[in-house]
Amino acid sequence: MTEETKDITAEGEETVTEYGSTSQTSGEKRIELDEIYQMIGLGPSQYLYWLLTSLLAYYDFAEITLLSVIVPLLRCEWGLTSTFEAAITIASYGSYAVFSVLFGKVADKYGRKTVIQWSTLLVILGAIGGALSPNIWIFLVTRLVTGACIGTNYSSSICYCTEFAESKYRAYGMSTWVLPAFVGLAAINGLAFLILETVGWRWFIMIVTIPSVPALILILVLPESPRYLCVSGQQDKAMQAVRFMAKLNKKVLPENIRTICFDDEDLGSYAMILNEDHRKSTITLSLVYFTNIFIEFGLIMFLPLLYSSHFCGASPSIAHKCQILTKKDLFKLTIATAGSIVGSLAGLLCAQFIGRLVPIRVATLVTFLSLASLLLCVNDTFTLATTTVAKIGEAFTNTVVWIMIPESFPTNIRSTASGFINAWGKFGGVLGNASVYLLFYVSPFSVMGLFVFICFVGFVAIMIYDRETKDEVLKDT
């Protein structure tokens, strides 16, 4: 790895202009990328990038929630057993997890833009295929494709939204990924409440997919991340990208500046995310994310069953049957998932003004206590209140974890680490979903007890972790 000189050269002085080469320049100035971002300021260029990541995040989580409202319909239309219901979610979330790991590394090696544009196109095609599926087997295949592409998008887009502005705007950048994600969770239930019965599940899938179309257009137009271009040795393209941003922000960069870049051949290294410097962050954040996504995805599937069955406490086992969600059930789901938006907003504000560690510890404790209190049998109102608080807590935790992940790793392995941690989270999601479908009809009590145990493990992990990333500057290598 060769670092270019940071000196401002006088006319006629010898300086490094290419990696390892020298030549005569006239007043060329080498500065850090963060300094260039300060000169560009915050403006339309960042808003366009963040609009893109907002659309991607919205669809990613809308797609996750989609299954919770259409599986009951498929159960009736195709006569699905609980095993097939579990298979649908495992196909979607399992491929999500596997491809998140694989393509996190690809995004570090070949660029965020390349990965996002192809995966977004395939998401659209997969959704169309799902809507046209004549039977459960074709539907399963389309869920595999869609889940794989969303997992591919995740690790790239979560890095993409943090790499276009100076460090002080990092939390704001992440908010454009985090908030739309939870809006997607809540919007699906609200949209289902309004139109699912009218349009049917096939057209519902098509309608939910619409935000992916402008996202595809934006990713084709916008340039690659300047941070990625720098660490991959593409300094000229990095400067083209920042000058494009400056033009959109109506700023003029001096012609004689060049960004300091690191030509790093060790891009996307799995060994590096587990080396002495990064091992603790990788393992701890993976465990915290695993436990929180286990609960989040588990609740996505658990709440429709909970509300429609009128389950209370450790009641006898519930029969598996064709039971479509009523308007009242969908209304309850909308209220509970709206708690995710509240939790996400609270997480962003606390992360920005207080820090990362203390708020996430409190949120994890609140989630644990609310899930434990769900074991008490009071009434439907109490059940709705406790599940809403649980959604607030897990959304808060997720938000802060999403902010911490890209902050904890340098650019050359940021997408690889994000993909690795995300994969552990989605494996947790697979297990959370499967546990609901496989255990709920045996004993709902066992599902809730499992949620409480998993949440406790996450709480212990975050209490042990001691790295505060609020004021850390993003590193490139």
Side-chain angles (χ1 to χ4, degrees):
M1 179 177 69
T2 305
E3 181 182 350
E4 295 189 355
T5 178
K6 300 181 183 180
D7 296 338
I8 301 173
T9 61
E11 185 172 351
E13 289 183 341
E14 185 175 40
T15 184
V16 178
T17 57
E18 300 295 339
Y19 301 100
S21 64
T22 63
S23 69
Q24 299 293 322
T25 65
S26 178
E28 187 175 87
K29 182 179 180 181
R30 314 296 181 75
I31 60 177
E32 298 279 0
L33 190 55
D34 270 343
E35 293 180 67
I36 295 179
Y37 283 157
Q38 289 173 23
M39 297 167 68
I40 292 172
L42 190 64
S45 64
Q46 285 89 358
Y47 302 150
L48 278 176
Y49 289 116
W50 292 341
L51 173 60
L52 167 63
T53 53
S54 295
L55 291 169
L56 293 172
Y58 170 87
Y59 180 72
D60 283 6
F61 272 69
E63 181 66 23
I64 289 169
T65 316
L66 178 66
L67 292 179
S68 69
V69 296
I70 68 170
V71 164
L73 295 175
L74 298 180
R75 180 192 307 151
C76 296
E77 183 172 326
W78 288 337
L80 300 183
T81 64
S82 60
T83 302
F84 262 114
E85 291 176 15
I88 292 173
T89 58
I90 290 172
S92 184
Y93 303 143
S95 60
Y96 190 137
V98 172
F99 277 76
S100 181
V101 173
L102 296 177
F103 280 82
K105 182 180 179 70
V106 171
D108 274 336
K109 278 194 168 292
Y110 301 106
R112 284 73 161 116
K113 176 175 177 171
T114 300
V115 169
I116 292 173
Q117 63 189 15
W118 283 105
S119 59
T120 303
L121 174 61
L122 290 173
V123 158
I124 296 171
L125 296 177
I128 294 172
L132 299 176
S133 297
N135 55 55
I136 182 60
W137 299 106
I138 300 298
F139 188 77
L140 276 173
V141 172
T142 64
R143 298 313 306 169
L144 279 167
V145 172
T146 307
C149 294
I150 292 175
T152 299
N153 255 342
Y154 172 90
S155 53
S156 302
S157 60
I158 203 169
C159 295
Y160 203 62
C161 69
T162 63
E163 295 180 346
F164 288 97
E166 56 184 301
S167 298
K168 68 180 180 180
Y169 297 122
R170 196 162 58 217
Y172 297 122
M174 277 304 302
S175 71
T176 65
W177 198 95
V178 172
L179 279 176
F182 288 111
V183 168
L185 282 177
I188 290 300
N189 292 303
L191 196 60
F193 174 77
L194 295 173
I195 68 170
L196 180 58
E197 186 177 327
T198 303
V199 302
W201 66 268
R202 296 180 188 275
W203 276 107
F204 191 72
I205 291 176
M206 300 290 283
I207 292 169
V208 169
T209 309
I210 289 174
S212 292
V213 177
L216 179 60
I217 295 171
L218 279 172
I219 192 60
L220 291 173
V221 173
L222 295 174
E224 178 60 88
S225 160
R227 286 192 181 276
Y228 164 76
L229 292 170
C230 261
V231 299
S232 60
Q234 303 177 70
Q235 189 182 58
D236 289 341
K237 289 185 177 180
M239 286 306 304
Q240 289 174 13
V242 295
R243 290 188 187 281
F244 173 84
M245 294 174 63
K247 184 177 180 180
L248 289 178
N249 286 12
K250 301 187 184 307
K251 299 291 178 66
V252 178
L253 295 178
E255 290 297 328
N256 66 332
I257 65 167
R258 284 169 67 86
T259 181
I260 298 166
C261 289
F262 298 87
D263 188 4
D264 197 328
E265 298 178 357
D266 198 21
L267 296 173
S269 169
Y270 289 122
M272 188 175 291
I273 68 174
L274 293 171
N275 67 14
E276 185 177 353
D277 293 333
H278 304 297
R279 186 184 304 124
K280 185 175 182 179
S281 292
T282 301
I283 293 174
T284 308
L285 291 176
S286 294
L287 181 57
V288 172
Y289 198 49
F290 172 92
T291 57
N292 205 58
I293 295 297
F294 184 105
I295 294 165
E296 180 181 331
F297 282 25
L299 285 176
I300 287 172
M301 297 303 169
F302 180 65
L303 294 186
L305 298 173
L306 178 69
Y307 297 151
S308 64
S309 65
H310 304 290
F311 162 76
C312 185
S315 62
S317 60
I318 296 168
H320 180 271
K321 59 183 178 180
C322 171
Q323 186 171 0
I324 297 174
L325 295 174
T326 66
K327 287 276 189 178
K328 184 177 180 181
D329 298 331
L330 289 170
F331 182 69
K332 288 180 180 179
L333 282 171
T334 303
I335 292 175
T337 51
S340 298
I341 301 176
V342 175
S344 181
L345 277 170
L348 287 167
L349 291 172
C350 290
Q352 178 68 19
F353 297 107
I354 298 175
R356 298 0 177 188
L357 280 179
V358 173
I360 197 174
R361 288 169 176 170
V362 173
T364 307
L365 178 61
V366 168
T367 306
F368 170 77
L369 293 175
S370 61
L371 289 173
S373 64
L374 189 60
L375 297 172
L376 300 175
C377 182
V378 180
N379 53 43
D380 285 349
T381 302
F382 180 80
T383 298
L384 178 59
T386 51
T387 51
T388 302
V389 172
K391 293 294 292 182
I392 292 172
E394 59 86 6
F396 189 113
T397 302
N398 258 350
T399 297
V400 180
V401 170
W402 284 334
I403 293 172
M404 294 172 71
I405 291 171
E407 290 178 333
S408 302
F409 303 93
T411 304
N412 62 332
I413 58 169
R414 185 171 296 127
S415 187
T416 302
S418 297
F420 182 87
I421 295 169
N422 178 54
W424 278 105
K426 296 314 176 285
F427 282 130
V430 170
L431 294 176
N433 274 279
S435 68
V436 170
Y437 281 120
L438 298 177
L439 297 178
F440 183 82
Y441 296 106
V442 177
S443 170
F445 178 80
S446 63
V447 178
M448 292 191 298
L450 184 59
F451 284 168
V452 172
F453 172 74
I454 292 294
C455 189
F456 178 74
V457 172
F459 175 68
V460 171
I462 200 61
M463 288 300 295
I464 295 172
Y465 193 57
D466 58 359
R467 181 179 176 183
E468 174 58 70
T469 58
K470 179 177 182 294
D471 297 318
E472 291 187 15
V473 177
L474 286 184
K475 299 178 182 178
D476 287 327
T477 59

